[in-house]
Amino acid sequence: MKALLLESTDGPEAVRVADVETPEPVAGQVRVAIKAASMNHREMWISRGLYPGMVTPCTMGCDGAGVVDMIGEGVTGVEIGDEVVLYPGRDWGPNRHAPKAEFGLLGMPHPGTIAEYVCVPAKNLAPKPAGMSWEEAAASILTGLTAWRALMFKGQLQPTDTVLISGVGGGVATFGLAYAVALGCKVYVTGESEEVIERAKSMGATDGLLYTDPEWRKKVGAMTGGIDVVLDGAPGPSYANYIRAIKPGARIVIYGSTAGDKFEITATGVFLKSASIVGSQVGDPEDFRNMLDFIDKHGIKPVIEKTFPLAEADKALTYLENDHKFGKVAITV
């Protein structure tokens, strides 16, 4: 079969579309003929070796939607032809607050979804949202799940909250905006350009600020009237700008370190506001089910910026790194 293969950790140039062995399901697994996948920044970091427990070669991608075409021994409740989306993780474990050490994602360390076929445990399947195209369904998985857990489980988001979403345009931030607007929250964003902020406003954001403006810390409090929940994937340059604008009891949820791994925390800025700073990653199977229910109820769809065929999936990775501005990059298989 054709697949996007990571051959080494030398960067995007070590990623190519190649012929690899077509998998067959073992007991408890099903094989899915992938109809669409999507590209995440995770693939960019993986191509540079910036992921624990790297194993190469590996088929890339953790977002997948397709049709069940083979069923392994002992599997019940699944039929050939079922249209499904795939929970992207393996072995989360029983603790809802954090995964166990063995937890991993498709596309590293497990075989990924940017391929013609993938085998996964039958319990990883969920029905494809009826109102979505294959590309929309695939593009909703990792970023949608990460945003859902960060806001709803970790951030305990309420309809009356005022939300600040840092770096809108990225997949997680864009889904976070959609969820918060659907819930009825007042949402503010930061973005890299006025064009990006206007896109966010067209999706329901109340207003936004340029994170390239060194003075945005002086504006955010007056603009928002105080922040209840922050969704932040790049706290290095942003935390110091919004911390004075949080309300008592605020929840700051950090889901990434895109702009650097370290940032300075002033203790008084946290304890005098009785604020919480919490980390969040991906989501467990319950989060996945809850997210799909919410998406279906509110008719939420991902913003797809550009679509590539599987034969050009390596170009999709280059596009994500160099040209991406707003939404998701999808792969049609």
Side-chain angles (χ1 to χ4, degrees), residues 66-200:
V67 177
V68 174
D69 88 316
M70 187 176 290
I71 298 175
E73 182 181 352
V75 172
T76 60
V78 179
E79 295 185 4
I80 301 293
D82 284 352
E83 297 186 349
V84 296
V85 291
L86 309 182
Y87 172 65
R90 299 276 296 271
D91 303 315
W92 178 281
N95 182 3
R96 286 224 64 211
H97 294 277
K100 63 183 184 179
E102 294 81 6
F103 177 71
L105 292 176
L106 304 179
M108 185 66 66
H110 304 287
T113 57
I114 306 177
E116 292 180 301
Y117 299 93
V118 67
C119 292
V120 297
K123 62 185 179 182
N124 281 49
L125 304 183
K128 170 185 168 289
M132 286 187 178
S133 68
W134 287 112
E135 290 77 14
E136 289 169 338
S140 300
I141 296 173
L142 183 66
T143 52
L145 179 58
T146 300
W148 176 267
R149 181 174 179 82
L151 284 178
M152 302 302 190
F153 184 72
K154 293 287 190 172
Q156 295 294 298
L157 190 64
Q158 303 299 314
T160 54
D161 284 337
T162 295
V163 183
L164 178 68
I165 296 179
S166 172
V168 75
V172 176
T174 305
F175 263 106
L177 168 61
Y179 295 154
V181 168
L183 196 63
C185 301
K186 184 178 287 187
V187 187
Y188 296 85
V189 301
T190 69
E192 69 173 8
S193 68
E194 292 292 353
E195 179 184 3
V196 165
I197 290 172
E198 289 302 314
R199 287 285 300 276

Side-chain angles (χ1 to χ4, degrees), residues 138-314:
S140 300
I141 296 173
L142 183 66
T143 52
L145 179 58
T146 300
W148 176 267
R149 181 174 179 82
L151 284 178
M152 302 302 190
F153 184 72
K154 293 287 190 172
Q156 295 294 298
L157 190 64
Q158 303 299 314
T160 54
D161 284 337
T162 295
V163 183
L164 178 68
I165 296 179
S166 172
V168 75
V172 176
T174 305
F175 263 106
L177 168 61
Y179 295 154
V181 168
L183 196 63
C185 301
K186 184 178 287 187
V187 187
Y188 296 85
V189 301
T190 69
E192 69 173 8
S193 68
E194 292 292 353
E195 179 184 3
V196 165
I197 290 172
E198 289 302 314
R199 287 285 300 276
K201 288 166 70 173
S202 74
M203 292 178 61
T206 299
D207 211 339
L209 292 162
L210 294 174
Y211 63 64
T212 54
D213 179 357
E215 301 298 310
W216 74 268
R217 72 177 68 191
K218 298 180 180 179
K219 304 173 184 178
V220 64
M223 174 181 282
T224 63
I227 304 161
D228 297 292
V229 176
V230 179
L231 181 66
D232 195 353
S238 61
Y239 176 85
N241 288 323
Y242 59 67
I243 187 61
R244 292 185 180 181
I246 64 171
K247 292 180 182 178
R251 290 88 69 202
I252 298 168
V253 188
I254 296 170
Y255 66 87
S257 55
T258 302
D261 203 39
K262 296 180 180 180
F263 65 102
E264 186 175 290
I265 297 176
T266 304
T268 54
V270 178
F271 74 77
L272 289 179
K273 292 286 185 73
S274 297
S276 302
I277 301 174
V278 296
S280 187
Q281 58 174 314
V282 199
D284 70 1
E286 185 172 342
D287 290 317
F288 190 55
R289 292 190 295 270
N290 291 339
M291 176 198 76
L292 291 173
D293 287 344
F294 189 87
I295 282 174
D296 184 60
K297 178 181 177 180
H298 293 279
I300 293 172
K301 294 184 178 182
V303 177
I304 296 182
E305 183 178 55
K306 192 173 178 65
T307 301
F308 291 81
L310 175 60
E312 298 177 6
D314 53 342

Side-chain angles (χ1 to χ4, degrees), residues 22-34:
T22 303
E24 293 194 3
V26 298
Q29 290 187 341
V30 301
R31 190 174 74 183
V32 176
I34 295 292

Side-chain angles (χ1 to χ4, degrees), residues 7-75:
E7 295 182 301
S8 69
T9 55
D10 295 330
E13 60 273 14
V15 178
R16 67 185 181 93
V17 179
D19 290 309
V20 301
E21 185 176 351
T22 303
E24 293 194 3
V26 298
Q29 290 187 341
V30 301
R31 190 174 74 183
V32 176
I34 295 292
K35 296 296 185 181
S38 78
M39 193 71 70
N40 296 289
H41 281 89
R42 178 176 184 267
E43 279 74 58
M44 193 168 67
W45 309 135
I46 286 172
S47 73
R48 289 180 166 80
L50 302 177
Y51 196 82
M54 292 284 296
V55 177
T56 57
C58 184
T59 303
M60 302 187 77
C62 63
D63 293 341
V67 177
V68 174
D69 88 316
M70 187 176 290
I71 298 175
E73 182 181 352
V75 172

